[in-house]
Amino acid sequence: LVILVSYCLTIISPFVGLAIWGIVMAVAIYPVFLKVAGMLGDRSKLAATLFIVVGLAVVLIPGWAMTKSAILSIMSFATELRAGNIEVPPPSESVAGWPLIGEPLYAAWAGAASNLEATLNQCQPLLREVGAWFARTIGSAAIGILQVAASVIIAGVVMLYAKDGYALSCAIAEKITPNRGQHLTDISIATIRSVTNGVIGVGVIQGVLAGIGFFVMGLPHAGLLAAIVLITSIIQVPAVVIIAPIVVWVFSFAAPVPATIFAIYMLFA
């Protein structure tokens, strides 16, 4: 029996996280779901289907654009680098006077400007580590997007049976803490919604700040890029997957000082 239970737990363990995220998502947006269902004539199944379709579109379309943009940017940069088409402009003398990082940055920058290939050869171990980290980050982001998509489907199903789920949660909580089950369940629901609103708020702020930087630099499709940063922030995917290729791209066409300011701004945005 113990062996059977352990095998069962091993089989279902990858899906536990998806189920939890789906339940959290359902709890967070259930008030919106009720309003939409009411607008549709109390057709809960239609509202759940609409939520799943819209949710998958919101997650998968920016996610695909994000992954494709990151991969194409890296491939394009590597191709241009091998072809010798990338030229690093020499740094201004004022760079050496920057506090803390001025002198080492000036030396590295000047070396790259005079002989980019030699500078890259010197940094090969570091570049390998950065490349491996970036590949892992892209892979993790892609898996995370698919997991969120699965959680969206689970959330749509959970909302259809929300009343039964609430009653079951109250009953379980009542067994654990008699006479306080419903109170603890209501507090849990309120906490989930409060935390979710906080995550969305932080994502909105990060998306807006990133959008300001994109617009100031005159990047094409700045609004779409800002929306992708917003979505990735909300679903807890590192925004660096989007921002890092954009910063590299900006350095390829912008003057060194504005590009550096943009990179520092995006680092803290």
Side-chain angles (χ1 to χ4, degrees), residues 144-216:
I145 290 168
L146 293 177
Q147 290 176 335
V148 171
S151 297
V152 167
I153 298 174
I154 294 173
V157 175
V158 167
M159 286 188 293
L160 284 176
Y161 303 96
K163 292 181 180 179
D164 294 335
Y166 177 74
L168 177 62
S169 299
C170 290
I172 294 174
E174 199 71 35
K175 294 290 184 181
I176 299 174
T177 55
N179 302 322
R180 298 187 60 199
Q182 184 174 358
H183 176 67
L184 290 178
T185 302
D186 292 339
I187 289 179
S188 300
I189 292 172
T191 302
I192 289 173
R193 289 174 180 166
S194 176
V195 171
T196 303
N197 290 336
V199 171
I200 293 175
V202 171
V204 169
I205 293 172
Q206 190 167 14
V208 169
L209 291 177
I212 292 172
F214 298 154
F215 278 110
V216 169

Side-chain angles (χ1 to χ4, degrees), residues 66 70 133-134 137 206 229 232 237-246 267:
M66 174 194 72
W133 170 83
F134 206 80
T137 302
Q206 190 167 14
V229 172
T232 54
V237 173
V240 68
V241 177
I242 294 295
I243 293 174
I246 294 175
L267 178 64

